Amino acid sequence: MAEPLYRLPSRSEIIELAIEEGHDADIPTNAGSIHPRPHHSPHPHPHNHSHNHKTSDAQKSSSAVFGKDIEKGPRPESLSSEDDAEDAEAEATEDSDPNIVWWDGPDDPQNPLNWRYVKKWGTVILVSAITFLTPLASSSFAPGVPKVMETFHSNNDMLEGFMVSVYVLGFAFGPLIIAPLSEMFGRLWLYHCCNVFFIVFSIAAAVASNMGMFIAFRFLMGCFGGAPLVLGGGTIADLISREQRGTAMVVWMMGPTIGPCVGPIVGGFLIEAKGWRWNFWLVAILAGAFMIMSLILMNETYAPVILARKTARLRKETGNLKLRSKLDSGLSPRDLFIFSIIRPTKMLTQSTICFAISLYVAITYSYLYILFTTFTAVFTNQYGWHGGVLGLSFLGLGIGSLVGQLVFTHFSNATVAKHIARGDFKPEHRLYMMTIGGFFLPVGLFWYGWSVQAQAHYMVPIVGTGVMGFGLLMTFMPANTYLVDVFTIHAASAMAASTVLRSLCAAFIPLSSQKMYAAMGYGWGNSLLGFVALLLIPIPFLFIKYGEAIRARSTVKL
């Protein structure tokens, strides 16, 4: 059953692939794991999890990782040739084992990397469309908030903001469950199930009869709507070769970047024409269309699950119970859930770097949702905007975010390439762009707040929000890449920790924004946020100077 491995992936490639798939690198990627596979019993089964109390070999292998300080490990670019030689030797040993099930050669049609061009890129486009829709739904009904409040006979300022931000609260909890489930059952099953529940709760929100029901359904929409954000990067990594992956990832990332800003523009005119409930009907209709397309066009892309099914089929056909998939991790559901939940928690509480960077991102991300929850009231009260035109108030934020992403992608890659060529690259070089972005955020807040307070021409505050959007992306993107470079093998857990904290802050901090503006006015209210943003500016500078020393002294054990 074994086939020679036609190209041994390097350790750095496996780590990079694990990051894109959304899990730590000690869980097998499509190319294998950075650790040798655990020894299996003579009667393995990909999904057979015994209930004995003995420590499994997989757990022993994992415990070796837990005992290491995760901030002191070597980076992928600096991994020694001895490490790759050891991995190659382990791979060669496995390839000589006739009971190892792998692809049937480099052109095996079951391998998603070998699918037809149209099928691969069709899947990428479909996943990108779904990933665009679910973040769009987070804010698309924001212009209709006053009408929702009127429908449910409420004048509670906190609920007015919470009905928008509660969606992102679902982004904090849904992925913690979705990620380990995808590693057990594959991506396709999770896409279909989450799409179905997303449609169900979108319809439920459309027909909600009271505020409590509406907020609960919005939260559940967020929980299941987070699936493409968790699974999309992995799907692209399953299908597209490393050389072509950058383009696909940029297309996919457009969804979470500009979706929340485009949503209110579309929603504003729709709500004016058909009412706020139709915003959710439209989301459900589009999600239903994507669901039908995914049922027809999508297939499982996650190699460990494909090979597990192949192994089960071959066992049945040959009667050889010793057959085992090359990518079978031997980890139980309990192990996977522990990795998904406990590791991010420990990182957030034990790592100075992870906590400080995540806090910076969380506060700046909460500013985004302060704008989402207050734009309608601000432009209604100060400029007399009503109806569909209210959605246009989000335009500056969207354009600024898009420009920020493009500028970061270009200059960050150039900076990193320069240092790698010199041979002196370290993770802190990722933060140079963050030092620039940090200044744009308070400038945008002061600009927006005082221009609204003075009722300057409406383009003035909209340009101010564009400056804010640029600053947000120029802090958010470098922070993420820095966490990836610092934690490498456990980058997915670091990213999960950051996601949970920023989602919690984005859900709850905006609740007091209306009262803040009522008490302080738009000028001083936004200035208060700007002063907090100014206090955060030194963080990337401090890590550029002391980050390496902090990592050398830090003790973070999972």
Side-chain angles (χ1 to χ4, degrees):
M1 292 301 124
E3 290 285 344
L5 187 64
Y6 40 90
R7 190 181 78 82
L8 291 172
S10 69
R11 188 180 179 92
S12 62
E13 287 177 325
I14 291 175
I15 292 173
E16 178 186 322
L17 186 58
I19 292 167
E20 290 171 349
E21 291 181 4
H23 58 73
D24 292 342
D26 51 356
I27 296 171
T29 66
N30 289 342
S33 171
I34 61 165
H35 300 300
R37 288 182 72 264
H39 174 74
H40 284 254
S41 64
H43 303 288
H45 191 281
H47 299 292
N48 181 24
H49 310 294
S50 62
H51 297 282
N52 60 47
H53 298 284
K54 296 180 180 180
T55 303
S56 68
D57 293 321
Q59 290 169 323
K60 291 177 182 176
S61 175
S62 300
S63 67
V65 181
F66 291 170
K68 295 181 180 179
D69 186 340
I70 60 175
E71 291 179 343
K72 295 187 177 67
R75 299 195 64 261
E77 290 84 352
S78 63
L79 288 166
S80 66
S81 59
E82 288 86 355
D83 288 332
D84 283 336
E86 289 176 6
D87 292 342
E89 184 179 351
E91 291 279 2
T93 301
E94 281 201 336
D95 290 339
S96 64
D97 186 346
N99 293 315
I100 294 294
V101 177
W102 187 230
W103 305 118
D104 296 332
D107 300 318
D108 187 346
Q110 291 187 69
N111 186 343
L113 287 171
N114 295 325
W115 288 358
R116 298 189 317 277
Y117 180 90
V118 173
K119 183 176 182 179
K120 287 200 294 185
W121 283 96
T123 301
V124 169
I125 292 171
L126 180 56
V127 168
S128 299
I130 298 171
T131 309
F132 181 80
L133 177 64
T134 53
L136 180 145
S138 69
S139 59
S140 60
F141 92 107
V145 165
K147 294 187 177 182
V148 178
M149 299 293 287
E150 182 182 338
T151 300
F152 296 135
H153 310 291
S154 174
N155 57 4
N156 189 311
D157 290 340
M158 292 184 68
L159 288 179
E160 188 172 346
F162 192 53
M163 72 170 72
V164 177
S165 63
V166 70
Y167 188 95
V168 79
L169 187 62
F171 283 179
F173 297 103
L176 295 178
I177 306 299
I178 293 169
L181 286 177
S182 70
E183 285 151 17
M184 287 185 280
F185 302 108
R187 309 196 202 284
L188 186 65
W189 184 86
L190 264 297
Y191 275 123
H192 291 337
C193 289
C194 289
N195 281 344
V196 167
F197 283 112
F198 181 75
I199 294 167
V200 167
F201 290 117
S202 296
I203 294 172
V207 299
S209 58
N210 60 63
M211 183 68 77
M213 290 173 60
F214 180 74
I215 289 176
F217 294 143
R218 282 273 297 167
F219 169 73
L220 292 169
M221 281 178 67
C223 286
F224 293 103
L229 301 177
V230 178
L231 305 174
T235 301
I236 292 171
D238 295 341
L239 294 166
I240 309 299
S241 65
R242 192 185 190 195
E243 295 74 21
Q244 299 177 313
R245 204 174 294 154
T247 302
M249 292 296 286
V250 168
V251 172
W252 175 69
M253 280 299 296
M254 288 294 180
T257 301
I258 65 174
C261 302
V262 171
I265 299 173
V266 176
F269 290 100
L270 177 63
I271 291 167
E272 175 66 14
K274 303 292 290 184
W276 67 265
R277 295 185 188 272
W278 257 98
N279 177 80
F280 294 94
W281 284 115
L282 177 63
V283 168
I285 290 168
L286 292 174
F290 292 149
M291 175 70 186
I292 293 170
M293 294 171 66
S294 66
L295 286 170
I296 296 171
L297 302 176
M298 287 180 67
N299 295 103
E300 182 57 65
T301 63
Y302 191 41
V305 169
I306 296 173
L307 290 172
R309 292 171 182 171
K310 179 179 179 179
T311 302
R313 176 174 55 80
L314 290 173
R315 282 187 192 139
K316 185 176 180 180
E317 291 175 356
T318 64
N320 181 3
L321 298 180
K322 294 182 180 180
L323 294 175
R324 51 191 169 90
S325 166
K326 185 183 181 70
L327 300 182
D328 178 15
S329 67
L331 296 172
S332 68
R334 178 179 176 275
D335 293 329
L336 293 172
F337 274 103
I338 286 175
F339 292 173
S340 179
I341 297 172
I342 302 301
R343 281 181 174 181
T345 303
K346 287 188 174 182
M347 282 193 177
L348 202 57
T349 56
Q350 296 180 10
S351 168
T352 302
I353 288 175
C354 187
F355 176 76
I357 294 296
S358 298
L359 182 63
Y360 194 151
V361 170
I363 291 175
T364 56
Y365 196 65
S366 68
Y367 287 174
L368 179 65
Y369 274 83
I370 287 175
L371 297 182
F372 283 160
T373 57
T374 59
F375 267 170
T376 299
V378 168
F379 281 87
T380 298
N381 296 336
Q382 297 298 98
Y383 294 98
W385 287 15
H386 296 283
V389 74
L390 273 170
L392 297 177
S393 60
F394 292 78
L395 191 59
L397 197 60
I399 293 174
S401 299
L402 182 59
V403 172
Q405 183 178 14
L406 296 175
V407 169
F408 167 78
T409 301
H410 175 75
F411 287 101
S412 177
N413 289 343
T415 301
V416 170
K418 179 181 69 175
H419 285 285
I420 289 177
R422 289 179 184 173
D424 65 350
F425 178 78
K426 57 183 181 179
E428 283 69 31
H429 289 135
R430 296 284 192 184
L431 297 178
Y432 289 161
M433 302 299 291
M434 193 173 180
T435 60
I436 299 170
F439 287 97
F440 280 88
L441 188 57
V443 167
L445 284 163
F446 295 138
W447 184 333
Y448 165 70
W450 288 106
S451 61
V452 165
Q453 182 74 32
Q455 293 184 315
H457 188 275
Y458 63 81
M459 280 303 299
V460 179
I462 287 179
V463 172
T465 62
V467 173
M468 287 182 62
F470 180 81
L472 284 167
L473 262 290
M474 291 287 282
T475 55
F476 180 68
M477 299 290 283
N480 285 345
T481 55
Y482 179 60
L483 290 177
V484 167
D485 280 335
V486 167
F487 294 99
T488 57
I489 294 171
H490 301 96
S493 291
M495 295 289 287
S498 179
T499 298
V500 169
L501 186 60
R502 79 166 186 257
S503 298
L504 289 172
C505 288
F508 292 111
I509 289 178
L511 299 184
S512 58
S513 55
Q514 293 281 27
K515 290 185 177 180
M516 176 187 70
Y517 287 146
M520 303 179 68
Y522 296 119
W524 282 113
N526 284 290
S527 293
L528 174 62
L529 302 179
F531 291 135
V532 174
L534 283 172
L535 293 176
L536 296 174
I537 286 177
I539 289 179
F541 287 97
L542 292 172
F543 279 123
I544 288 172
K545 186 172 183 179
Y546 301 110
E548 195 169 12
I550 291 172
R551 288 188 284 117
R553 292 195 304 268
S554 176
T555 302
V556 183
K557 295 181 179 180
L558 297 181

